[in-house]
Protein backbone atom coordinates (compact mmCIF):
# COMPACT_ATOMS: atom_id res chain seq x y z
CA UNK A 1 0.00 0.00 0.00
CA UNK A 2 1.19 3.44 -0.86
CA UNK A 3 1.39 5.89 2.02
CA UNK A 4 -0.43 9.15 1.61
CA UNK A 5 1.22 12.37 2.61
CA UNK A 6 -0.37 13.89 5.67
CA UNK A 7 0.77 17.40 4.95
CA UNK A 8 -1.88 18.05 2.37
CA UNK A 9 -4.22 20.98 2.35
CA UNK A 10 -6.34 20.87 5.43
CA UNK A 11 -7.93 24.27 5.26
CA UNK A 12 -5.39 25.91 7.46
CA UNK A 13 -3.98 29.04 6.00
CA UNK A 14 -0.30 29.72 6.47
CA UNK A 15 0.18 32.36 9.08
CA UNK A 16 1.41 35.65 7.79
CA UNK A 17 2.37 38.52 9.96
CA UNK A 18 0.27 41.56 9.33
CA UNK A 19 2.15 44.66 8.40
CA UNK A 20 2.48 46.86 11.41
CA UNK A 21 0.53 50.06 11.39
CA UNK A 22 2.85 52.88 10.60
CA UNK A 23 0.57 55.56 11.87
CA UNK A 24 2.89 56.23 14.76
CA UNK A 25 5.39 57.51 12.26
CA UNK A 26 3.04 60.38 11.58
CA UNK A 27 3.25 61.54 15.13
CA UNK A 28 6.24 63.14 16.65
CA UNK A 29 6.51 64.61 20.06
CA UNK A 30 8.55 67.73 20.44
CA UNK A 31 8.90 68.85 24.02
CA UNK A 32 5.26 68.91 25.14
CA UNK A 33 3.55 69.47 21.86
CA UNK A 34 2.38 66.69 19.62
CA UNK A 35 3.03 67.36 15.99
CA UNK A 36 0.90 65.58 13.48
CA UNK A 37 1.04 65.12 9.79
CA UNK A 38 -1.73 66.96 7.97
CA UNK A 39 -4.98 65.09 7.57
CA UNK A 40 -6.86 64.64 4.36
CA UNK A 41 -9.71 67.14 4.06
CA UNK A 42 -11.75 64.61 2.10
CA UNK A 43 -11.17 61.48 4.15
CA UNK A 44 -11.15 63.34 7.42
CA UNK A 45 -8.95 62.93 10.45
CA UNK A 46 -7.12 59.65 10.64
CA UNK A 47 -6.04 59.72 7.05
CA UNK A 48 -2.72 61.36 6.76
CA UNK A 49 -1.35 63.08 3.75
CA UNK A 50 1.96 62.07 2.37
CA UNK A 51 4.14 65.10 2.30
CA UNK A 52 6.81 65.98 -0.19
CA UNK A 53 8.67 69.29 -0.26
CA UNK A 54 6.14 70.73 -2.69
CA UNK A 55 3.11 68.51 -2.44
CA UNK A 56 0.75 66.79 -0.03
CA UNK A 57 -0.90 63.69 -1.31
CA UNK A 58 -3.61 61.40 0.02
CA UNK A 59 -3.09 57.79 -0.99
CA UNK A 60 -6.71 56.97 -0.26
CA UNK A 61 -8.63 59.43 -2.41
CA UNK A 62 -5.68 60.78 -4.40
CA UNK A 63 -6.25 64.24 -3.07
CA UNK A 64 -3.28 66.39 -3.93
CA UNK A 65 -2.45 69.71 -2.41
CA UNK A 66 0.35 71.79 -3.75
CA UNK A 67 2.44 73.71 -1.32
CA UNK A 68 3.52 76.99 -2.74
CA UNK A 69 6.30 78.67 -0.88
CA UNK A 70 6.98 82.26 -1.68
ZN1 LIG B 1 -8.14 61.41 1.19
Amino acid sequence: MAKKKKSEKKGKKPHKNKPTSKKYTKYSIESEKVKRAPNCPRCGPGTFLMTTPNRQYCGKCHYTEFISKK
Side-chain angles (χ1 to χ4, degrees):
M1 277 178 78
K3 281 183 182 176
K4 279 185 182 176
K5 281 181 183 176
K6 276 189 176 179
S7 59
E8 293 290 317
K9 284 174 188 174
K10 276 193 174 179
K12 274 190 179 178
K13 289 175 187 172
H15 180 75
K16 273 184 187 175
N17 282 325
K18 284 180 186 175
T20 338
S21 172
K22 290 204 170 104
K23 270 186 180 170
Y24 65 91
T25 60
K26 304 292 178 188
Y27 293 84
S28 62
I29 297 166
E30 282 176 25
S31 62
E32 285 177 356
K33 285 175 188 174
V34 180
K35 279 194 173 184
R36 267 181 272 184
N39 289 125
C40 175
R42 276 195 219 167
C43 301
T47 310
F48 297 103
L49 295 174
M50 182 201 80
T51 46
T52 61
N54 52 13
R55 265 189 304 160
Q56 290 181 327
Y57 174 73
C58 173
K60 210 174 184 181
C61 68
H62 307 287
Y63 169 85
T64 315
E65 193 173 277
F66 290 93
I67 304 164
S68 53
K69 283 181 183 176
K70 282 183 180 175

